[in-house]
Amino acid sequence: MRTLVRNGRLIDPRSGMDEVGDILLDGDRIEAVGGRIEAAGAGSIEASGLVVAPGFIDIHVHLREPGQTHKETIATGARAAARGGFTSVCAMPNTSPVNDSPEVTAYILKAAAGAVVRVFPIAALTRGLRGEEPVDFAALRRAGAVAFSDDGRCIQDEALMKKVMASARDLDALVIDHCEDQGLFGNGVVNDGPLARRLNLPGIPASAEETIVARDIRLAGEGLGRVHIAHLSTRGSARLVAEARRRGVPVTAEVTPHHLLLTENEVEAGGTNFKMNPPLRSAEDAAALIEAVRNGEIDVFATDHAPHAAAEKARGMKEAPFGIVGLETAVPLLLDRLVRTEIIPLLRFVEMWSTRPAEIMKWADKGRLEPGAAADLTLLDLNRPMTVDPERFSSLGRNTPFAGWTLRGAPVMTIVGGRTAHAEVPC
Ligand SMILES: [Zn+2]
């Protein structure tokens, strides 16, 4: 089946392309890009006035299956991803059971085969995420794990971290680290600062994150392979990553929309939908992260999509689980707050959602508009108004801090492997 996407504003950060033209899809591959294309008999999608970008990739989501399907399933998470403009997502291993065996990886891939977007399993670094015994890296890689992470936990023992990083390096596999020193983290629930003191809540200091970011950078610098730092939340972490990259250390980093757009000042009025890990930090931290995005010192955006049931989030600041949903708000939020405001150009935005994630995952057929690449496209309407309404989410999670936000700019069509995974009705 061939499909001609006509008259779109084609954006390809790799080649610097930003021009109006057509793109022809043949089955699950891109056949031709740019200019006016004649394709007799092909289906046709009119994209005039829309941005046509290589499919967006979110390398950090929690889809809760197997085990916690009341929060989310692979199918509902994938539908939320498609609605949010994503063609590929990488699912973290803190499911129940943990994705620490080829059997669990196979289970996820089987469910993913029926999902509307591509779902790639990330396997644990240690069995049960317990930070004690390494997983069988080769077996998990063979089963289809695309990266390794103990996200939500963090390996504290440096000798063990060296061992798992070396195992991943020898397979040319990516390690993603949720950087958290458990001693410094303690039983914290919000950023350690004036807010924590005023509310008399245990605080999470910046050093809990930065200590481990520094450790991981040191290990990557010692030849133990590349490491990807998940969800940077402090200016100190951003500085450490920027400085390491200048020295040529193989470290990459991601930042979430909420750490860019929200601060701890909103937590008191907002409640548990503003409770996540790492926590919302100070206004200075958020400003430093935006500056690092602008300077190219942070590679990618990622949502850390973490759905929870309403009753779980209703338990109060100390007891409610960490995490918020993000798949259906991330692209409109950043289009409105970073692109429309000209903090970053559209090309850089697409690079951070598509080109760089594909490079980090070493997916040569994604993140690009080129003949032969996957027919994965994200179509954006930069002028489409949108109000965040959790009741309309495809995700089973409603736990967003952005409810009621009015935004301009949104994904309107998501094409995965040449097939339409989601299409908005024109407004
Ligand atoms: Zn995490």
Side-chain angles (χ1 to χ4, degrees), residues 97-418:
V98 168
N99 182 14
D100 60 3
S101 71
E103 291 73 27
V104 178
T105 301
Y107 172 89
I108 294 167
L109 285 172
K110 195 168 170 217
V116 293
V117 304
R118 304 178 196 272
V119 176
F120 296 96
I122 297 171
L125 289 163
T126 64
R127 292 197 193 275
L129 303 172
R130 284 188 295 272
E132 293 164 3
E133 191 189 345
V135 296
D136 184 338
F137 284 80
L140 282 157
R141 190 76 162 151
R142 273 196 305 277
V146 295
F148 294 87
S149 179
D150 272 5
D151 184 60
R153 307 281 189 87
C154 175
I155 293 176
Q156 303 294 294
D157 176 356
E158 184 170 322
L160 178 62
M161 189 64 182
K162 288 170 92 159
K163 197 169 170 184
V164 296
M165 282 180 71
S167 297
R169 176 202 58 200
D170 293 346
L171 292 167
D172 192 26
L174 179 67
V175 169
I176 302 172
D177 203 13
H178 165 120
C179 295
E180 179 182 306
D181 180 290
Q182 279 162 15
L184 292 167
F185 189 93
N187 58 354
V189 295
V190 294
N191 186 40
D192 189 24
L195 168 85
R197 286 188 286 279
R198 196 170 65 245
L199 300 184
N200 198 25
L201 288 171
I204 303 165
S207 59
E209 176 173 314
E210 292 160 5
T211 302
I212 301 293
V213 172
R215 177 199 71 179
D216 288 358
I217 286 170
R218 182 162 47 76
L219 297 181
E222 287 172 9
L224 284 158
R226 63 197 181 114
V227 63
H228 178 79
I229 309 292
H231 42 51
L232 295 186
S233 77
T234 75
R235 66 195 131 155
S237 293
R239 203 181 304 130
L240 285 166
V241 168
E243 188 272 332
R245 288 155 67 100
R246 279 194 286 277
R247 286 189 288 121
V249 175
V251 57
T252 54
E254 74 191 27
V255 67
T256 68
H258 48 276
H259 288 116
L260 295 169
L261 304 181
L262 299 173
T263 70
E264 61 179 340
N265 300 328
E266 279 115 319
V267 174
E268 187 169 8
T272 59
N273 282 342
F274 292 69
K275 178 184 177 184
M276 69 289 283
N277 182 12
L280 298 175
R281 303 286 190 181
S282 69
E284 292 74 26
D285 288 309
L289 292 170
I290 287 180
E291 193 54 26
V293 165
R294 238 171 51 79
N295 292 339
E297 291 164 349
I298 295 177
D299 298 82
V300 300
F301 301 121
T303 64
D304 194 8
H305 178 79
H308 293 292
E312 295 161 341
K313 274 295 199 183
R315 287 179 199 145
M317 275 315 269
K318 275 192 185 162
E319 302 299 325
F322 291 103
I324 61 168
V325 290
L327 281 168
E328 290 167 87
T329 52
V331 170
L333 282 166
L334 298 182
L335 271 178
D336 185 79
R337 298 302 161 103
L338 297 187
V339 178
R340 199 174 57 78
T341 53
E342 299 183 354
I343 291 171
I344 58 169
L346 183 62
L347 220 56
R348 171 92 182 116
F349 178 81
V350 173
E351 183 177 38
M352 290 186 70
W353 272 130
S354 183
T355 313
R356 279 301 285 154
E359 286 170 358
I360 288 170
M361 301 311 296
K362 298 199 172 182
W363 292 337
D365 68 336
K366 297 189 182 65
R368 57 182 74 194
L369 296 184
E370 277 174 20
D376 292 3
L377 301 178
T378 297
L379 275 60
L380 308 169
D381 180 345
L382 300 183
N383 292 311
R384 188 183 173 92
M386 172 191 171
T387 302
V388 177
D389 178 2
E391 295 309 313
R392 294 189 63 234
F393 284 170
S394 292
S395 170
L396 298 183
R398 302 281 182 267
N399 48 313
T400 175
F402 297 108
W405 281 41
T406 56
L407 306 167
R408 188 168 286 275
V412 289
M413 189 179 285
T414 308
I415 297 173
V416 180

